[in-house]
Amino acid sequence: MSDVLAELTQSRHFQGRIYFYTLGRKFVDESYDVPEEAKQIMYYSLAIGHHLGVVDCLKAVIECEGDEYLTWISGLPQDGEAFNKMKGYFVFGEITIYPEHLNMLALAFDRIDTSTQNARSQQLTRDFIAALGDIHREPTMYMMIRGIR
């Protein structure tokens, strides 16, 4: 095990379950109190993407344990952008994947030699690439990877 991987096992985020959430839908929170004269500002904010009074409904599409996640991402080149993005989970306890990350991540995971992966890592790769494809087809979606201890 490399020094980088060994260091990641010491993260407080290593233990516990990791969930890959995707945006299922959005809605305007009706309880958000907006004066009538300010509603135009709220609608404008929504149009340009700000989350003023908007609730994101996330659903878990992938789940794994911390050790499974680390084994899975260890198939990526450790000096690459994809590994750096994905190891951010161990640093911050969550990462967000937006449409601008899709190509880089999909290509990196697709390039992993499946003969070097165990069955669980292969399944995580398939499920992850499928979820990235869903985001590609619906660019207002995003993914959040977050742990529960």
Side-chain angles (χ1 to χ4, degrees):
M1 180 181 286
S2 75
D3 291 344
V4 172
L5 296 176
E7 184 180 315
L8 295 177
T9 65
Q10 301 307 305
S11 165
R12 66 186 177 101
H13 305 292
F14 183 73
Q15 298 298 322
R17 199 111 179 107
I18 301 171
Y19 296 88
F20 294 59
Y21 296 101
T22 58
L23 176 66
R25 63 186 175 103
K26 291 183 178 201
F27 65 91
V28 176
D29 182 0
E30 297 298 330
S31 67
Y32 188 78
D33 190 22
V34 179
E36 195 60 42
E37 49 283 345
K39 284 191 177 181
Q40 288 302 320
I41 293 172
M42 186 177 90
Y43 295 134
Y44 174 74
S45 296
L46 292 172
I48 61 173
H50 293 278
H51 282 71
L52 181 65
V54 174
V55 176
D56 287 352
C57 299
L58 301 172
K59 64 179 179 178
V61 294
I62 303 171
E63 298 178 29
C64 65
E65 298 294 330
D67 60 333
E68 293 173 322
Y69 183 89
L70 183 59
T71 298
W72 175 54
I73 69 168
S74 69
L76 297 167
Q78 291 180 20
D79 60 350
E81 188 178 3
F83 181 81
N84 285 331
K85 176 70 176 168
M86 299 304 284
K87 82 173 185 180
Y89 167 76
F90 291 112
V91 176
F92 305 110
E94 72 178 42
I95 56 173
T96 305
I97 296 171
Y98 294 109
E100 58 266 23
H101 303 120
L102 299 180
N103 288 339
M104 176 265 299
L105 290 171
L107 287 172
F109 278 96
D110 189 55
R111 288 182 181 141
I112 296 175
D113 179 1
T114 57
S115 70
T116 66
Q117 289 185 306
N118 63 30
R120 180 66 175 136
S121 290
Q122 290 176 22
Q123 184 64 52
L124 287 170
T125 296
R126 284 191 299 273
D127 292 347
F128 185 63
I129 289 175
L132 294 177
D134 291 342
I135 296 169
H136 177 71
R137 287 183 287 284
E138 181 53 59
T140 61
M141 287 181 65
Y142 63 92
M143 180 184 293
M144 178 180 291
I145 299 174
R146 188 157 203 232
I148 305 291
R149 293 174 35 163

